[in-house]
């Protein structure tokens, strides 16, 4: 195992990043500081008491057009979210450019709100695009709650959430949804309609919640005839106003709203929340350093405004999304961020033959700090299952049956030293039940994680469940054009399906099970759902077998 202390120091990484961007180190820090100031002001919303307060009666249109959400549920707390937007597809959402509105909230033990457990008042501020994040604590562990918001005469839809069981509690099972990649312009979010009807405890979204590309008046492949989307959406997102409007569009979708209202979500981002295949401070396209850092900061701020996430610390220079959660003694969840701290893609990105550049032991997907954090978490884990929701495919994917094939430079294949550090750590620590949850590639895979992918007979150290996209790449097909080649070239690949949908994952003390749910079509409404395949991995005997 390559030692993590061989990674570049934080000071050296800053210097290298500055060099890649063509900036002196001092200028790089100045640009980064400016971006941080844009992403999050040093004053949190509660410090804006002097802002002019709008009377609730001035809201003459329904402000809850974007629905409600909950997330990051702990044993005794959960984050509740909404955003006031009477006219969501207009800049400013039909509200003034400054001011605040008091929003009442309630959490109840029953859907009729006869047994209210907690209630209070939050402030929605113009500065944060009228978003509301309430971190409700003092809740009972491992139970279902219902919640809602009120402003004046307006009441939000009711959401349902669930707190996590206590860390030392025995839990019979947990049922999870795995989702990612929802390009609005590629089709309807029918998968979310069906997901909302599942019996789940929580949903993990592992990236590409929005896409940055232009959307025409007909909504791309949705081909609207009953509406015309505003022309403000018909260009790529670069500014804070652009990203805010893009989230508004996505969150007007009724199926996405239903899925948010049904379960608590745990979210992390990938690339399209900013720009395709960006790497830390390095853009895919030829933007100036200042323009891209400002763009990334705008995207970061809009992401937080629209997700059920806790408030970042004052003076935050980025939004720390890697975090650890527990579900009784049954599961530990280590949510990763493989985009914000990564080295630039090697060999010009894309699918390339591996080279000395891609094999450089200094290269990282997580950054040295996050690498140490993950392995330390494995060492201290007492859970049956160690679950790692993350963004890009961990397992080897050769695209030919030749001895040496091109590999994806954006996935872990493009960072083999980082993967070796991870898998060696898993082996050294003795992690027995590793389950990796992945998105990004718009197809579904079931894969065994091999200790040495060059040796098909090497030990299986875990399993990887790759979920397909909600909408990205349109309807898809069961067997994409490269299906036969990929399945022949990668003996650890047990399943490959190219249709849209989501994955339902069940963990109990004996098995991890993945049900790959696919929809018949998404480029027109009304798609039906079915199970394409189900796989199980036995506890303490890793390896996926068809159920």
């Amino acid at each position: 195992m390559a030692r993590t202390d061989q990674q570049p120091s934080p000071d050296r990484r800053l210097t290298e990043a500055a060099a890649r961007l063509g900036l002196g180190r001092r200028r790089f820090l100045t640009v980064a500081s400016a971006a941080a100031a844009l992403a999050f002001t040093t004053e949190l919303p509660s410090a804006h008491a002097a802002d002019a307060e709008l009377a609730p009666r001035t809201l003459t249109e329904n402000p809850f057009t974007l629905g409600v959400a909950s997330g990051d549920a702990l044993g005794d707390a959960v984050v509740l979210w909404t955003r006031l937007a009477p006219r969501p597809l207009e800049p400013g959402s039909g509200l003034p450019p400054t001011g605040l509105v008091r929003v009442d909230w309630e959490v109840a033990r029953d859907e009729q709100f006869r047994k209210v457990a907690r209630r209070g008042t939050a402030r929605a501020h113009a500065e944060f695009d009228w978003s509301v994040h309430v971190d409700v604590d003092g809740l009972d562990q491992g139970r279902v709650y219902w919640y809602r918001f009120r402003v004046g005469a307006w009441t939000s839809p009711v959401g349902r959430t669930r707190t996590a069981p206590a860390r030392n509690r025995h839990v019979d099972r947990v049922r999870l949804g795995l989702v990612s990649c929802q390009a609005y312009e590629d089709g309807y979010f029918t998968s979310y309609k069906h997901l909302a009807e599942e019996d789940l405890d929580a949903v993990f979204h592992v990236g590409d919640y929005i896409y940055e590309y232009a959307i025409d008046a007909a909504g791309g492949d949705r081909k609207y005839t009953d509406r015309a989307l505003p022309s403000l959406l018909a260009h790529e997102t670069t500014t804070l106003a652009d990203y805010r409007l893009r989230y508004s569009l996505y969150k007007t979708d009724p199926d996405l709203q239903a899925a948010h209202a049904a379960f608590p979500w745990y979210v992390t981002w990938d690339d399209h929340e900013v720009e395709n295949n960006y790497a830390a401070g390095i853009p895919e396209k030829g933007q100036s350093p200042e323009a891209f850092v400002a763009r990334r900061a705008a995207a970061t701020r809009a992401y937080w405004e629209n997700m059920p996430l806790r408030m970042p610390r004052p003076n935050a220079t980025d939004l720390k999304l890697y975090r650890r959660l527990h579900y009784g003694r049954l599961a530990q969840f280590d949510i990763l961020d493989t985009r914000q701290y990564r080295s630039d893609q090697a060999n010009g990105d894309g699918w390339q033959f591996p080279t000395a550049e891609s094999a450089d032991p200094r290269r990282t997907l997580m950054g040295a700090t996050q690498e140490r954090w993950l392995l330390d978490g494995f060492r201290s884990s007492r859970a049956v299952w160690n679950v790692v929701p993350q963004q890009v495919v961990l397992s080897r994917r050769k695209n030919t049956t030749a001895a040496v094939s091109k590999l994806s430079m954006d996935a872990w294949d493009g960072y083999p030293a980082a993967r070796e550090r991870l898998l060696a750590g898993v082996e050294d620590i003795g992690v027995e039940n590793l389950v990796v949850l992945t998105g990004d590639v718009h197809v579904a895979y079931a894969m065994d994680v091999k200790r040495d992918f060059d040796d098909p007979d090497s030990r299986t150290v875990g399993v990887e469940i790759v979920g397909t996209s909600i909408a990205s790449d349109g309807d898809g097909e069961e067997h994409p054009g490269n299906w036969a080649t990929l399945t022949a070239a990668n003996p650890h690949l047990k399943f490959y399906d190219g249709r849209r949908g989501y994955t339902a994952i069940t963990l109990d003390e004996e098995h991890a099970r993945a049900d790959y749910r696919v929809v018949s079509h998404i480029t027109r409404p009304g798609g039906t759902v079915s199970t394409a395949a189900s796989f199980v991995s036995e506890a303490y005997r890793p390896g996926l077998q068809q159920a």
Side-chain angles (χ1 to χ4, degrees), residues 436-451:
V436 179
L437 307 182
T438 302
D440 181 58
V441 289
H442 311 168
V443 298
Y445 296 136
M447 309 176 89
D448 287 347
V449 179
K450 307 299 289 186
R451 181 61 187 87

Side-chain angles (χ1 to χ4, degrees), residues 62-70 80-86 88 103 130-132 147-149 155-160 209 247-248 250-262 305-306 308:
N62 177 20
F64 296 113
T65 59
L66 304 182
V68 299
S70 70
L80 308 182
W81 174 93
T82 192
R83 182 157 71 81
L84 307 184
V103 180
W130 304 99
S131 62
V132 178
Y147 63 94
R148 65 188 177 188
F149 299 89
T155 302
S156 76
V158 173
R160 177 180 181 272
Y209 190 98
Y247 281 102
S248 291
Y250 277 57
K251 285 181 171 291
T252 58
D253 186 277
D255 294 332
L256 177 58
Q257 288 190 19
H260 269 301
E305 288 173 345
N306 286 280

